[in-house]
Amino acid sequence: MAYAIAIDGPAGAGKSTIAKRVAKELNYIYVDTGAMYRAMAIYFMDNGIDCNSEEQIQSAVDGVDIRIEYADGVQQVILNGSNVTARLREEAVGRMASATSGYGCVRAKLLELQRNLAETSNVIMDGRDIGTTVLPDAQTKIYLTASSDARAKRRYDELVEKNGNADYEEIKADIEKRDYQDMHRTISPLKQADDAVLLDTSDMNIDEVVAAVKKLIR
């Protein structure tokens, strides 16, 4: 029987970093939902679908199959049997994904594909609504969070290391704004699932969080 781990939480909590590490250590599949939206976008582009036509999008989604596989420990995204991993980060693909991700039919199709993955493989998924909407029956659910100060500090340090400068107060304000938007959106708002374990990582490093998550899974 396949085992599913759902990790939800606010922006900057480190969900993807933790999920990828845990997936690698447990030999699970990390389901990159963003990559799946981009693979869907590639299908639309290759088939001349107008991103402004909901009718065309609706007609096209049923022809899409997306799987996630691993080769030598590296994630591979398979679209209708073809490996499209190398194309996922193209600017045009990002624009198409952004333009089409809001359609209800696109979200519904990807929800179906994500659940299919969870039924056939041991998976870890992270996001805003995995434990509440995408995988409500996941065996382990974790709500990963940290104070806005801690999340802003992590982002600030990351940007300073990369670019040499950053504005801490601006970063913190942006995080708090995103929290509010995520928690108050109409479709699948961010919230802790009733049966999820709260894990506050404000005073923890990555290794400590990974160890805590693995302990919860065990």
Side-chain angles (χ1 to χ4, degrees):
M1 182 180 172
Y3 197 96
I5 301 158
I7 299 181
D8 291 306
K15 299 183 298 295
S16 296
T17 300
I18 299 305
K20 287 174 186 174
R21 272 275 303 270
V22 173
K24 188 172 185 181
E25 293 185 18
L26 296 182
N27 198 29
Y28 277 33
I29 288 180
Y30 168 64
V31 179
D32 186 340
T33 53
M36 294 181 79
Y37 275 100
R38 284 174 173 261
M40 179 83 81
I42 290 172
Y43 180 84
F44 294 149
M45 290 169 59
D46 289 354
N47 287 276
I49 305 298
D50 180 359
C51 67
N52 296 310
S53 171
E54 185 167 5
E55 187 178 344
Q56 286 189 30
I57 297 284
Q58 177 83 58
S59 299
V61 291
D62 286 339
V64 180
D65 180 60
I66 300 166
R67 289 179 290 110
I68 293 178
E69 299 176 354
Y70 281 81
D72 299 323
V74 179
Q75 178 181 275
Q76 308 294 321
V77 179
I78 312 300
L79 170 65
N80 290 354
S82 298
N83 191 328
V84 295
T85 309
R87 298 178 59 191
L88 293 176
R89 296 299 158 194
E90 293 174 5
E91 284 295 320
V93 172
R95 287 194 297 272
M96 177 62 94
S98 179
T100 56
S101 61
Y103 288 111
C105 57
V106 171
R107 298 180 74 88
K109 180 63 179 180
L110 285 172
L111 179 63
E112 174 194 322
L113 293 171
Q114 288 156 10
R115 285 176 175 166
N116 287 346
L117 270 170
E119 286 174 5
T120 56
S121 308
N122 294 329
V123 301
I124 297 181
M125 276 190 223
D126 71 276
R128 305 286 193 276
D129 63 345
I130 307 302
T132 54
T133 303
V134 181
L135 298 178
D137 297 324
Q139 290 93 330
T140 297
K141 296 182 186 179
I142 297 167
Y143 190 82
L144 195 73
T145 190
S147 67
S148 57
D149 285 312
R151 287 181 282 143
K153 178 69 166 58
R154 291 169 188 170
R155 183 65 178 148
Y156 173 83
D157 291 343
E158 185 182 307
L159 289 172
V160 167
E161 187 177 329
K162 192 180 294 182
N163 305 323
N165 63 346
D167 185 323
Y168 172 82
E169 292 301 332
E170 188 178 302
I171 293 168
K172 184 182 175 184
D174 183 58
I175 280 175
E176 290 174 344
K177 180 182 177 183
R178 285 185 66 183
D179 284 352
Y180 182 86
Q181 290 173 336
D182 286 341
M183 291 174 180
H184 292 83
R185 67 187 185 188
T186 306
I187 300 173
S188 297
L190 169 65
K191 64 178 181 179
Q192 181 179 341
D194 293 338
D195 53 349
V197 177
L198 177 69
L199 183 57
D200 189 321
T201 69
S202 300
D203 300 313
M204 300 168 74
N205 62 34
I206 290 175
D207 290 338
E208 289 169 337
V209 180
V210 169
V213 169
K214 287 168 69 177
K215 184 178 179 181
L216 287 170
I217 294 165
R218 286 196 298 272

